Amino acid sequence: MGEARRRASLGLPSRQPKSSNKSPRALNRIPLVRWQSKQFMQITTWGAWIGISCLIIFWLIVRFVGPIAGWWTLADAA
């Protein structure tokens, strides 16, 4: 006897297909789930802060360390 007939004779509901992706999508047309979008935001925010820190360090070296060490002179220095 087939599975469907056995379930019907026992009064059981029909079998539901298995869903492989139980996580809701962040956007309907983009294949990213919510935890992936959150992880992407965390990584890009962390990367932005690293970039800002590097820019500040570079500016301090160009503006103060270089002229003090005698590596170069500033054009606006009198």
Side-chain angles (χ1 to χ4, degrees):
M1 184 181 296
E3 179 70 15
R5 288 187 190 145
R6 185 185 68 80
R7 287 178 141 322
S9 68
L10 293 175
L12 298 173
S14 61
R15 180 190 269 179
Q16 299 297 324
K18 292 182 181 178
S19 111
S20 62
N21 188 3
K22 295 183 181 181
S23 235
R25 289 190 175 209
L27 295 172
N28 289 337
R29 297 180 185 210
I30 299 175
L32 291 175
V33 291
R34 288 192 182 163
W35 69 269
Q36 289 172 327
S37 63
K38 286 180 183 179
Q39 185 181 24
F40 174 77
M41 290 299 292
Q42 289 174 347
I43 291 171
T44 54
T45 303
W46 186 68
W49 279 113
I50 289 175
I52 291 168
S53 302
C54 289
L55 180 66
I56 291 171
I57 291 169
F58 176 74
W59 181 79
L60 289 172
I61 290 172
V62 168
R63 183 67 176 102
F64 297 109
V65 176
I68 290 172
W71 296 337
W72 57 77
T73 59
L74 297 175
D76 62 351

